[in-house]
Amino acid sequence: MEDSAIANLVTSFAYFYGSVPVSLARETIIGWHPEVTTEQFDRVLANIAGMPGKANVVLVTAGVPEPELVKGAWFDFAGIYADFLKLRKDLPFASRSEEEILRYDSPEIVRFDIPETQALRSFAQTSLGLDNVGAGLAVAFVLSAQEESLWENKSWVLIFLEKLRRIGNGPIIRSLKDLKSFRDLGNSMYLHCPSQYLRGWKPAELENPPALPDDLPESEAALLRIQKGTEAEVMNQLSGDSAQKNKIGRNDPCPCGSGKKYKKCCGR
């Protein structure tokens, strides 16, 4: 097996789990590929930071029981890795197939390929009138809001609506009926997405998954007020403005913040 292929698996482990013991990654990869030796794996690991596209993997040795592979994004802000470990549930690591692990080849896990995500994206297009780019950004916003909800113990729906307000294009969701449907689809997506906070488990696979607050605004007037922005900010694409959309190059970073190129994320 080529060193580059091993490096791809190593980085996918870090991106999928957020943080995973080196020993588990080594044992699993060698189990999948018996031709890989411990020496080859350790050589790749020692040099991975210098490999193209692998700078977002951090090898942590201090303050942990054993060396861990960590998604580099957890080190973007002081103290965030420690907070992540505090929130992470004490579970065994979920066992996943090589095919599933390799799908997570980006620093950000944007799960556009599961049916529940596709259902939410379709609703954003057919019921909310968003174009393909806008619907993709809406899904990315939901994923981000749900992660923040776990940190802050605040309704992910309200966090999502606040994100819409910061964009500044006016209300996207205009009725509580549509918002309830959007919430239900978002909750289904949450239940069926592997979570780094759950060591790779999908919440639906657990007997008692962590509760995800999903309170709604008390009225349609409040719903519209929450979304009404006054300052256009970084991602005007959510409005479906084709002139703005055309400013995004196929190889530019995706405006949803996934870390992927636009053509491999919301633009596909």
Side-chain angles (χ1 to χ4, degrees):
M1 190 176 190
E2 298 280 344
D3 284 2
S4 59
I6 297 174
N8 287 338
L9 276 170
V10 167
T11 54
S12 294
F13 261 84
Y15 297 159
F16 182 84
Y17 291 105
S19 175
V20 64
V22 169
S23 59
L24 178 60
R26 182 192 295 114
E27 177 184 344
T28 304
I29 291 172
I30 291 177
W32 288 335
H33 299 278
E35 72 276 15
V36 176
T37 64
T38 298
E39 291 75 19
Q40 183 185 15
F41 179 93
D42 290 344
R43 183 182 71 246
V44 170
L45 187 62
N47 296 298
I48 196 166
M51 294 183 175
K54 309 305 177 188
N56 283 306
V57 176
V58 178
L59 179 62
V60 175
T61 56
V64 291
E66 60 176 302
E68 292 200 351
L69 294 166
V70 179
K71 184 177 74 170
W74 289 121
F75 285 86
D76 287 347
F77 305 98
I80 194 171
Y81 180 57
D83 290 339
F84 166 70
L85 292 181
K86 289 177 184 177
L87 284 171
R88 183 179 236 183
K89 302 302 179 182
D90 186 17
L91 296 164
F93 284 91
S95 177
R96 298 298 180 195
S97 68
E98 180 177 6
E99 180 184 11
E100 184 168 9
I101 293 289
L102 277 173
R103 285 209 298 268
Y104 294 81
D105 60 353
S106 160
E108 297 296 330
I109 299 179
V110 181
R111 308 168 182 87
F112 283 113
D113 57 349
I114 67 171
E116 293 76 15
T117 302
Q118 294 296 338
L120 181 65
R121 188 169 186 162
S122 176
F123 180 84
Q125 291 179 282
T126 59
S127 297
L128 303 183
L130 300 179
D131 66 5
N132 185 56
V133 175
L137 290 174
V139 170
F141 278 9
V142 170
L143 290 166
S144 173
Q146 290 178 342
E147 182 175 274
E148 289 181 36
S149 176
L150 291 172
W151 287 80
E152 300 178 9
N153 194 31
K154 177 180 177 181
S155 168
W156 73 262
V157 179
L158 297 179
I159 294 173
F160 172 78
L161 292 173
E162 288 168 359
K163 290 178 182 291
L164 294 184
R165 179 183 63 196
R166 292 198 294 270
I167 292 171
N169 288 311
I172 300 298
I173 304 178
R174 296 180 176 273
S175 73
L176 286 178
K177 179 182 177 181
D178 280 347
L179 184 61
K180 289 176 182 178
S181 298
F182 191 82
R183 176 196 59 186
D184 292 344
L185 289 166
N187 283 339
S188 180
M189 183 175 70
Y190 162 72
L191 288 172
H192 294 91
C193 283
S195 172
Q196 294 175 349
Y197 294 97
L198 302 177
R199 293 190 170 183
W201 293 97
K202 302 172 185 177
E205 294 173 330
L206 301 178
E207 185 175 351
N208 295 302
L212 193 66
D214 62 359
D215 300 335
L216 301 178
E218 66 276 11
S219 66
E220 291 195 350
L223 168 62
L224 297 178
R225 185 172 61 250
I226 291 172
Q227 296 174 83
K228 187 177 180 181
T230 57
E231 295 182 6
E233 295 187 350
V234 292
M235 289 179 285
N236 292 324
Q237 292 83 7
L238 198 58
S239 68
D241 186 327
S242 60
Q244 178 69 22
K245 178 177 64 176
N246 290 336
K247 295 180 181 179
I248 309 172
R250 293 277 293 161
N251 290 308
D252 290 342
C254 189
C256 75
S258 70
K260 293 184 177 182
K261 290 183 179 180
Y262 172 67
K263 66 183 180 182
K264 291 187 177 181
C265 192
C266 297
R268 65 185 181 181

